[in-house]
């Protein structure tokens, strides 16, 4: 007798697709539903797991767009310490869909970012990016200038990208009761002072997250003609701590399950949106927690590599490692700087020859 | 006899040529050229604390070792290396990135003070550590400030002068402060060689037309006299202190 399952391919059946395979041979977990190639400008934002995407895309010669890069000539250590090159602008972690919506409203000029700040000794922290500078800022004015810089860069990322990658991280969030805005972290943890009257906990439910995410995507798309496609992922990293009252393990599973369900729904509901299963690759039972570090929270480099391999395997055209569309402006400026350096190097040699009668390479 | 050793990068060239033009006037001076200052961005020396020695290790540089137990250590080492803004002005993109206070245009990215300080510390760190290591083994060290940029520096065609001036001034002040904390004096660029815009006056530009980076013989003569004056004062103070 014929029924719908008779015509399905093997990937639809547990035994051949999972049960009878080595976990590393489980494949075809995702296929790109729209064009993702090295010529598309891709931006990445979200929870900390999103930063692995930027690194992998860059390594494979994709056009990862950094709207707020460190200056040419800065060391990679300095750039990393000041959170350059982590996301496509120095937004810091955007853990929730509602934070994405908040940043989008600021970037599109629908709302002004509140001019609030936290004092930490003689330094100033940005409540919306509390760890963006290793020692904070010297003045409120400097902090606000830096935040505005990142909002402008986030806007540029929105306006210029072809593909927007967003990694959902948390459902638990902290809000300002007076201002009605959301903090990325609970006040009092990294900076600021917790005020139980003012700082309100909200464990976001499915509907709120769904509405926030859809609203953010629509605003980003409507900000210009031919707005970007969206690739949604859920961070597989469990919560550091929960304020829900549940055990942290239970809270993590609930939180991630809601985010996973929202991402799936939104990717089905909206055109040119897809869900990429990084969460399942790290967290599902067949992988036996292999890709976690011993603390069972941090994802190991092997895990990240396997996630990204699954991503690239899902693209119709396998990428080469060279970058066809690297930032031409950057290269041009690199070349000028290199030429200046060569000219000065040559001058140094000639000066040496003139003064000391010798040269050294 | 007092021995003054001048050590460092290619900016020593002008001083050396000035010395060669009149060696009798400066009999206590000798020179040890290390290499191009561009290499000072990476670690270029090793310290052996047990032996009390400091050794140049950079492949592109002249090998120069100092050891606490050496019998003929100089009375003063003048180091032309840490106070040199060439690299940071030339190799950073000051057209696209500016200190946040100076941002004027939409296409300029604002940098925080902390990040600019980090760029300066990264650029100057090894040269300062080298000077500190030499003092640790008992040498008297002074730093010779390299000449400021010239008006025809190529990066001035693409970067704003006020940005370049700001970085140049901040770098020099920050490095001088750090050297001062280590007890290392700085022989600063002679005021008469500095223009109103903060560059080195073009009359002190290198004799070779293509060289937009080094100073000339006249500049070297002024710097040489400054070193002589510094050494007289410094070594004189030491002598009186010993009495």
């Amino acid at each position: 007798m014929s029924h719908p399952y008779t015509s399905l391919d093997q990937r639809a059946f547990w035994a051949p697709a999972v049960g009878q395979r080595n976990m590393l041979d489980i494949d075809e977990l995702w296929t790109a539903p729209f064009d993702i190639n090295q010529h598309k400008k891709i931006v990445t934002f979200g929870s900390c797991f999103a930063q692995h995407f930027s690194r992998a895309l860059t390594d494979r010669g994709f056009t990862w767009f950094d709207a707020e890069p460190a200056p040419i000539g800065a060391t990679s250590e300095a750039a990393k310490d000041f959170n350059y090159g982590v996301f496509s602008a120095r937004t810091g972690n955007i853990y929730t869909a509602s934070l994405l919506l908040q940043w989008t409203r600021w970037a599109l000029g629908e709302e002004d970012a509140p001019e609030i700040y936290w004092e930490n000794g003689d330094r100033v922290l940005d409540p919306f990016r509390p760890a963006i500078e290793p020692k904070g800022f010297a003045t409120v004015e400097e902090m606000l200038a830096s935040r505005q810089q990142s909002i402008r860069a986030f806007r540029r990322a929105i306006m210029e990208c072809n593909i927007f990658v967003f990694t959902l991280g948390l459902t638990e969030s902290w809000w300002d009761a007076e201002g009605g805005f959301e903090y990325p972290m609970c006040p009092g943890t990294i900076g600021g002072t917790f005020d139980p009257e003012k700082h309100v906990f909200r464990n976001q439910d499915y509907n709120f997250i769904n509405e926030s995410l859809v609203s953010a995507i629509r605003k980003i798309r409507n900000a210009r003609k031919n707005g970007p496609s969206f690739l949604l992922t859920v961070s597989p990293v469990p919560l550091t701590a929960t304020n829900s009252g549940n055990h942290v393990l239970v809270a993590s599973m609930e939180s991630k399950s809601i985010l996973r369900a929202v991402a799936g729904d939104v990717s089905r509901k909206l055109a040119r949106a897809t869900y990429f299963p990084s969460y399942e690759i790290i967290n599902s039972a067949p992988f036996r927690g292999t890709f976690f570090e011993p603390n069972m929270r941090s994802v190991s480099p092997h895990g990240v590599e396997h996630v990204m391999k699954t991503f690239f395997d899902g693209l119709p055209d396998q990428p080469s490692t060279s970058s066809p569309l690297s930032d031409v402006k950057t290269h041009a400026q690199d070349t000028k700087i290199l030429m200046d350096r060569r000219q000065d190097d040559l001058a140094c040699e000639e000066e040496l020859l003139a003064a000391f009668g010798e040269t050294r390479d | 006899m007092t021995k003054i050793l001048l050590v460092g990068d290619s900016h020593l060239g002008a001083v050396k040529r000035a010395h060669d033009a009149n060696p009798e006037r400066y009999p206590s001076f000798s020179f040890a050229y290390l290499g191009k200052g561009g290499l000072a961005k990476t670690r270029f020396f090793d310290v052996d604390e047990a032996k009390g020695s400091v050794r140049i290790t950079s492949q592109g540089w002249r090998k120069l070792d100092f050891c606490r137990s050496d019998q003929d250590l100089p009375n003063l080492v003048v180091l032309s290396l840490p106070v040199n803004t060439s690299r940071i002005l030339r190799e950073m993109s000051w057209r696209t990135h500016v200190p946040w206070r100076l941002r004027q245009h939409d296409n300029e990215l604002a940098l925080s003070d902390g990040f600019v300080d980090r760029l300066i510390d990264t650029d100057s760190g090894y040269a300062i550590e080298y000077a500190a290591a030499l003092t640790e083994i008992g040498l008297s060290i002074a730093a010779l400030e390299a000449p400021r940029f010239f008006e025809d520096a190529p990066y001035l065609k693409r970067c704003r002068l006020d940005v370049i001036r700001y970085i140049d001034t901040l770098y020099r002040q920050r490095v001088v402060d750090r050297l001062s904390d280590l007890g290392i004096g700085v022989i600063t660029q002679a005021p008469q060689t500095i223009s109103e815009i903060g560059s080195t006056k073009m009359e002190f530009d290198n004799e070779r037309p293509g060289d937009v980076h080094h100073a000339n013989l006249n500049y070297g003569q002024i710097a040489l006299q400054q070193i002589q004056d510094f050494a007289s004062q410094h070594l004189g103070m030491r002598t009186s202190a010993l009495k």
Side-chain angles (χ1 to χ4, degrees), chain A residues 69 71-73 75 81-82 84 133 142 149 152 340-341 343-344 347-352 355 360-361, chain B residues 10 13-14 16-17 33 36 60 90-93 97 100 103 109-113 115 118 158 206 208:
Chain A
I72 293 166
T75 61
D81 288 350
F82 283 76
Y84 283 101
E133 297 259 326
E142 182 189 18
Q149 169 71 70
R152 282 193 300 273
D340 287 353
R341 183 174 178 178
Q343 190 181 353
D344 278 356
C348 290
E349 284 173 10
E350 288 176 355
E351 181 68 1
L352 167 62
R360 304 191 74 84
D361 291 326
Chain B
S10 57
K16 171 74 161 53
R17 287 186 284 128
Y33 176 83
K36 287 177 272 189
R90 179 183 61 208
E91 294 171 23
M92 294 283 169
S93 46
H97 293 71
W100 69 275
R103 185 177 178 275
L109 291 173
L111 297 175
S112 68
D113 291 343
F115 191 71
R118 175 67 175 269
R158 56 177 183 270
N206 193 276
R208 283 185 302 280

Side-chain angles (χ1 to χ4, degrees), chain A residues 317-332:
Chain A
D317 299 318
Q318 291 304 301
S320 67
T321 49
S322 63
S323 174
L325 270 193
S326 292
D327 192 331
V328 175
K329 267 190 195 167
T330 302
H331 279 191

Side-chain angles (χ1 to χ4, degrees), chain A residues 154-180:
Chain A
F154 184 71
R155 177 185 169 82
R156 193 173 164 218
I158 288 175
M159 301 307 276
E160 294 188 25
C161 73
N162 303 116
I163 298 166
F164 192 111
V165 178
F166 183 63
T167 300
L168 294 139
L170 296 176
T171 58
E172 296 192 17
S173 57
W174 289 92
W175 294 71
D176 191 285
E178 292 166 12

Side-chain angles (χ1 to χ4, degrees), chain B residues 80-110:
Chain B
S80 169
L81 201 62
V83 199
N84 181 351
T85 58
S86 307
R87 289 181 304 273
I88 201 163
L89 296 181
R90 179 183 61 208
E91 294 171 23
M92 294 283 169
S93 46
W94 299 116
R95 184 181 66 82
T96 55
H97 293 71
V98 299
W100 69 275
R101 284 184 191 82
L102 303 183
R103 185 177 178 275
Q104 290 178 357
H105 307 295
D106 287 345
N107 59 354
E108 292 173 339
L109 291 173

Side-chain angles (χ1 to χ4, degrees), chain B residues 152-179:
Chain B
D152 56 355
Y155 45 78
L156 281 176
K157 289 180 189 143
R158 56 177 183 270
C159 304
R160 284 164 42 200
L161 175 63
D162 61 328
V163 174
I164 294 299
R165 263 188 88 164
Y166 179 90
I167 297 297
D168 186 74
T169 305
L170 185 69
Y171 188 110
R172 288 170 193 273
Q173 191 56 58
R174 191 166 173 83
V175 173
V176 168
D177 287 348
R178 287 188 65 192
L179 290 169

Side-chain angles (χ1 to χ4, degrees), chain B residues 61-76:
Chain B
W61 278 13
R62 179 175 174 165
K63 303 303 172 205
L64 180 69
D65 298 355
F66 292 104
C67 187
R68 191 193 299 273
S69 58
D70 287 350
Q71 297 299 308
D72 55 349
L73 282 174
N75 302 86
L76 178 67

Side-chain angles (χ1 to χ4, degrees), chain B residues 9-36:
Chain B
D9 56 23
S10 57
H11 290 292
L12 274 187
V15 185
K16 171 74 161 53
R17 287 186 284 128
H19 178 264
D20 289 351
N22 196 358
E24 300 79 17
R25 189 169 171 190
Y26 306 98
S28 53
F29 282 43
S30 59
F31 290 80
Y33 176 83
L34 292 177
K36 287 177 272 189

